[in-house]
């Protein structure tokens, strides 16, 4: 039958969600699908610079000399970038 469902939630949850806009509740991920679709990553921080680029099925460090990287070493970096969100 067509009955409305009722959900009981804790008052703290209700207070946390009350007066929030849809934008405030939305997942605001910085990099979507970087592991799957990423082609290059360039990082500059406090005088440090590095650029890695995807070539074929592998990754190359693009600083001064091009050097291959093991994919298993790049995957944790890309995974960490994929988990960045805007507050």
């Amino acid at each position: 039958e067509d009955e409305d469902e009722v959900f009981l939630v804790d008052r703290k949850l209700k207070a946390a969600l009350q007066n929030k806009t849809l934008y405030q509740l939305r997942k605001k991920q910085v990099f979507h699908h970087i592991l799957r679709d990423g082609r290059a990553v360039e990082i500059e921080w406090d005088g440090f610079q590095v650029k890695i680029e995807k070539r074929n099925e592998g990754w190359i460090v693009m600083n001064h000399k091009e050097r291959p990287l093991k994919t298993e070493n790049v995957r944790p970096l890309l995974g960490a970038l994929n988990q960045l969100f805007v507050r």
Side-chain angles (χ1 to χ4, degrees):
E1 295 180 27
D2 292 332
E3 292 183 16
D4 292 333
E5 293 183 19
V6 176
F7 297 95
L8 299 176
V9 296
D10 189 87
R11 286 183 183 151
K12 292 177 186 174
L13 178 61
K14 181 181 174 188
L17 298 177
Q18 199 166 11
N19 300 322
K20 298 280 184 178
T21 66
L22 180 60
Y23 178 78
Q24 291 170 316
L25 296 173
R26 189 175 299 142
K27 182 178 176 182
K28 295 171 273 214
Q29 192 170 7
V30 177
F31 302 106
H32 299 278
H33 311 296
I34 194 167
L35 285 170
R36 185 185 70 207
D37 301 333
R39 302 220 190 300
V41 175
E42 189 169 350
I43 298 171
E44 294 182 32
W45 179 59
D46 200 26
F48 172 78
Q49 282 185 301
V50 66
K51 180 177 181 180
I52 58 174
E53 188 174 293
K54 191 172 190 178
R55 297 247 180 106
N56 301 319
E57 295 301 314
W59 290 87
I60 306 281
V61 173
M62 299 302 293
N63 293 37
H64 310 296
K65 294 182 181 180
E66 293 183 9
R67 290 173 287 189
L69 294 171
K70 294 182 179 179
T71 301
E72 62 265 16
N73 293 338
V74 175
R75 192 170 294 278
L77 169 67
L78 298 180
L81 290 174
N82 209 49
Q83 296 302 313
L84 292 177
F85 294 88
V86 175
R87 286 187 162 205

